[in-house]
Amino acid sequence: ARSRAEQGTPDGLRRLVAVLARVCEGLAYAHQEGVVHRDLKPDNLMVGPFGEVLVMDWGIAGHVGDPADDGVGTPGWVAPEQAAGCRPAPTADVYALGGILHALLTGGPPRTGPSAKMWCDVSTDPPRVTPTGPAPRVAAGGAAMDPDPARRPPDAGAFGAALTRWLLDAERTAEAQALLAQAMTEVPAIAALRAEAAEAAGRARALLSGLSAYAGAE
């Protein structure tokens, strides 16, 4: 409910993307240590009362290089190669992070429908990541959910860095828009002063026109 309420405002959406960037920070540490979560989705992310960000449910986490196993994860969020039973890799978590960004942008998961169909479609029918919003943010989500793991950001740290860059740009844009809005409130006063100045210049020209070239200062 909080997510849906915040999605409707630019400030709210920036806060949600900032939370996702924090999630990426935690996962970047896990990926550095060779651990892959393999079940990332909104239900497994929590924000505490003091703003702390928690990544929950590491029950099916695996280590990079572990033997391949049967497909694990949650339909609708799982990467194609993970559904196919490939070895754990950070890029599979990046795919799920892209799905979470998709949910922030659109209010819903990248896939819906019966679990069996979603499990099958993820390997044969790439998701159509076409949410509305600023192009860099949409592009980040699309790159993270590329069907080819080699074309995704290599790990959560790289994906989080892309989100952070967008957040910095968005904050600068918001500040510029606020300054522009403040300046626009001065437009009527500026126009009034210009009209007053033009009127004063007209009066001055009228007064000067009646003076001779040799008139004294008085």
Side-chain angles (χ1 to χ4, degrees):
R2 175 184 175 185
S3 175
R4 285 193 297 272
E6 290 185 320
Q7 283 167 350
T9 66
D11 286 345
L13 188 53
R14 284 199 299 272
R15 284 194 294 270
L16 292 173
V17 174
V19 168
L20 184 56
R22 294 276 306 282
V23 169
C24 291
E25 291 175 357
L27 284 168
Y29 173 76
H31 289 170
Q32 178 181 288
E33 298 300 309
V35 177
V36 183
H37 188 284
R38 301 204 295 180
D39 197 20
L40 292 170
K41 55 188 177 182
D43 288 349
N44 286 341
L45 305 178
M46 296 181 64
V47 179
F50 301 103
E52 62 273 26
V53 177
L54 307 174
V55 181
M56 314 297 290
D57 194 0
W58 294 76
I60 60 171
H63 285 83
V64 175
D66 280 353
D69 53 18
D70 293 334
V72 295
T74 301
W77 304 98
V78 66
E81 68 276 13
Q82 186 174 316
C86 293
R87 294 174 181 268
T91 47
D93 279 353
V94 170
Y95 184 95
L97 289 169
I100 295 169
L101 177 60
H102 181 280
L104 295 183
L105 295 175
T106 66
R111 293 185 182 278
T112 57
S115 294
K117 184 177 186 304
M118 286 193 291
W119 199 264
C120 177
D121 286 350
V122 70
S123 298
T124 60
D125 182 25
R128 294 167 179 80
V129 185
T130 55
T132 58
R137 189 176 60 202
V138 174
M145 298 195 74
D146 194 297
D148 184 354
R151 292 198 293 261
R152 298 175 204 155
D155 53 32
F159 183 63
L163 294 182
T164 299
R165 285 193 296 273
W166 176 82
L167 284 168
L168 292 174
D169 289 343
E171 289 173 2
R172 284 194 289 265
T173 299
E175 290 173 359
Q177 289 173 339
L179 288 172
L180 178 60
Q182 180 181 353
M184 292 302 292
T185 63
E186 302 295 333
V187 168
I190 292 171
L193 288 172
R194 284 176 174 166
E196 183 180 339
E199 183 183 356
R203 291 198 306 269
R205 284 193 298 271
L207 289 171
L208 290 172
S209 65
L211 297 177
S212 62
Y214 52 83
E218 294 80 2

